[in-house]
Amino acid sequence: MFKSESEDLQVNEESPAPYYTTGQMPKVISVSPEGDENIIMVPVPAQAGYLDGFGDPEFLESLPSYRLPTLNNGTFRIFEVKGHSMFPTIHSGALAVGEWCENWQEDIKDNQIYIIVSKEDGIVVKRCLNRIKKYNNLYLKSDNRREYPSYPIKPEDILEVWTLKTAFIYDFQDPADMYDRVNDLEAEMLQIRSQLPKITK
């Protein structure tokens, strides 16, 4: 069963869409027959449609929904991760579970991971730097910074923010891979240092 703002959800009906102001709840949620809130999952093929349909009961009803035993007090949503920008923390194909961040302009904490739904970039999982008050920007950072540089986003471009609470990881990395990468970087730095006197001569 799906409920919308016409069914007594806590929604500020005077605020125009898109709703990037504080104090609003998701326009549509899924509820079990017992009255418990389900967690809607947004797989990669549905993510383009989600940008237009996040407030459409018919669209959201077409998506799978689940109950997770440890996530009961709050509104949650599952997003399938695409791309490698958060590798090695979260890999492509993982399932990121986010909790609705209501007053995100105030509550986003530096270097925490959030799921950002925006007009331009769609759905991304990023670490954030909150500089909305200072520069009117939210800065999005990837964990894979060698390939994916950080970039700013304006508050008015943001449609939804979900705080990452947990993730289902299916690609278990060998810790030796990380050690090898660190060792390779160290060797490269030593090689560069050894070449410096020759370069300056």
Side-chain angles (χ1 to χ4, degrees):
M1 178 174 64
F2 281 74
K3 287 187 176 182
S4 66
E5 59 186 55
S6 61
E7 299 176 73
D8 299 326
L9 279 187
Q10 297 177 2
V11 173
N12 183 353
E13 295 181 358
E14 295 179 358
S15 297
Y19 57 107
Y20 53 81
T21 55
T22 58
Q24 296 182 342
M25 293 297 291
K27 293 185 176 181
V28 180
I29 61 172
S30 170
V31 181
S32 71
E34 295 75 27
D36 298 318
E37 187 172 336
N38 294 322
I39 302 176
I40 297 171
M41 176 181 167
V42 187
V44 167
Q47 290 185 5
Y50 184 84
L51 299 181
D52 295 320
F54 61 85
D56 180 1
E58 291 186 6
F59 172 77
L60 293 177
E61 193 170 4
S62 70
L63 301 177
S65 60
Y66 303 93
R67 295 280 303 153
L68 295 177
T70 58
L71 299 176
N72 296 312
N73 299 316
T75 296
F76 302 90
R77 200 147 288 179
I78 302 171
F79 298 89
E80 185 179 2
V81 177
K82 60 180 179 180
H84 304 282
S85 68
M86 290 301 289
F87 182 86
T89 309
I90 304 173
H91 62 81
S92 184
L95 301 179
V97 183
E99 182 177 15
W100 175 256
C101 187
E102 185 172 358
N103 298 310
W104 53 265
Q105 296 195 37
E106 301 285 340
D107 294 343
I108 287 179
K109 296 178 175 59
D110 286 355
N111 291 313
Q112 297 299 307
I113 301 176
Y114 296 86
I115 302 157
I116 308 294
V117 182
S118 70
K119 304 172 189 175
E120 295 295 326
D121 298 321
I123 299 168
V124 296
V125 181
K126 299 288 183 183
R127 293 189 189 275
C128 292
L129 292 179
N130 189 346
R131 296 297 181 271
I132 293 174
K133 287 185 176 180
K134 192 170 184 179
Y135 302 122
N136 196 38
N137 277 328
L138 192 67
Y139 290 90
L140 306 186
K141 304 194 304 178
S142 302
D143 282 4
N144 182 5
R145 290 174 197 145
R146 296 179 71 180
E147 299 180 48
Y148 298 88
S150 303
Y151 62 93
I153 184 172
K154 295 290 185 186
E156 55 265 28
D157 292 331
I158 296 173
L159 301 173
E160 293 182 337
V161 176
W162 302 80
T163 306
L164 184 73
K165 303 303 290 185
T166 189
F168 294 93
I169 307 295
Y170 305 105
D171 183 9
F172 300 99
Q173 297 296 310
D174 185 345
D177 292 344
M178 295 302 300
Y179 294 130
D180 289 343
R181 290 186 182 191
V182 172
N183 290 336
D184 287 342
L185 285 173
E186 184 178 7
E188 288 177 15
M189 290 300 298
L190 291 172
Q191 177 64 19
I192 291 171
R193 283 184 178 180
S194 69
Q195 296 296 320
L196 283 177
K198 298 177 182 178
I199 294 173
T200 55
K201 287 182 180 179

